[in-house]
Amino acid sequence: VFTMPRNELTAAHGLTMANEDYLESVYRISLKTPEGEGVRSVDVAEQLKVSKASVNKAMTALKEVGMVEQDRYGRVRLTDKGRELGSEVWRCHRMLRAFLEVDLGVDAETADKEACLMEHALSRETMRRWADYLERQGLSIEED
């Protein structure tokens, strides 16, 4: 059985790939949320199509490693460390998705799903080099 090695990013912070996905989701939602308001667990559950209980379990794990803080009303806010990692994972996702769609002609839904799987396997250095290469080729990695 082949198991994908954890990249240096995952190894450095001790998160599972699933918890990286939760962190990425919190980051993405926080971009559209008024500053200081925090992200609701229900919004994360909706975006990832998982139960609120799964989100709560993931938020506990993310709190334990200092990626998020949660207020007494349950709103989640990224720490500086969480914001940095969430941003990196989301940038990698966008880069991979754009490459799969634009350069390889993969349909949007498949490209998004496969980018989500691939984003966890790249080292920071490989991700940086690939993004630089794609930008030199004229591929824009837009926020969405």
Side-chain angles (χ1 to χ4, degrees):
V1 173
F2 175 77
T3 56
M4 189 177 298
R6 292 165 62 100
N7 68 27
E8 69 185 53
L9 207 54
T10 305
H13 56 61
L15 294 181
T16 64
M17 287 187 267
N19 283 341
E20 277 188 355
D21 287 338
Y22 284 100
L23 185 64
E24 176 187 352
S25 179
V26 171
Y27 175 78
R28 289 174 63 187
I29 294 167
S30 72
L31 293 175
K32 299 173 183 170
T33 304
E35 192 170 335
E37 194 171 292
V39 172
R40 301 179 316 159
S41 293
V42 68
D43 294 331
V44 175
E46 185 178 297
Q47 184 178 73
L48 296 177
K49 297 176 178 57
V50 297
S51 70
K52 194 165 179 266
S54 294
V55 174
N56 289 336
K57 183 177 178 184
M59 292 308 113
T60 297
L62 292 172
K63 280 189 284 190
E64 288 174 0
V65 293
M67 297 288 174
V68 300
E69 297 170 340
Q70 200 164 14
D71 67 24
R72 63 183 179 165
Y73 302 108
R75 297 246 177 188
V76 177
R77 288 172 189 76
L78 294 165
T79 61
D80 289 342
K81 182 174 157 183
R83 186 172 297 100
E84 179 183 344
L85 180 58
S87 171
E88 286 184 35
V89 174
W90 179 226
R91 181 172 189 256
C92 184
H93 182 108
R94 292 189 327 269
M95 176 197 71
L96 290 164
R97 183 182 61 202
F99 174 75
L100 292 171
E101 281 186 70
V102 175
D103 289 355
L104 301 184
V106 174
D107 71 90
E109 185 177 338
T110 301
D112 193 56
K113 287 178 185 175
E114 291 180 352
C116 190
L117 294 171
M118 295 167 65
E119 70 196 22
H120 305 288
L122 296 176
S123 68
R124 283 181 174 185
E125 182 60 23
T126 298
M127 184 175 65
R128 252 190 305 269
R129 287 174 184 241
W130 199 350
D132 289 347
Y133 170 78
L134 292 175
E135 287 173 4
R136 285 192 310 272
Q137 302 305 310
L139 184 64
S140 175
I141 303 168
E142 305 274 330
E143 289 275 345
D144 63 0

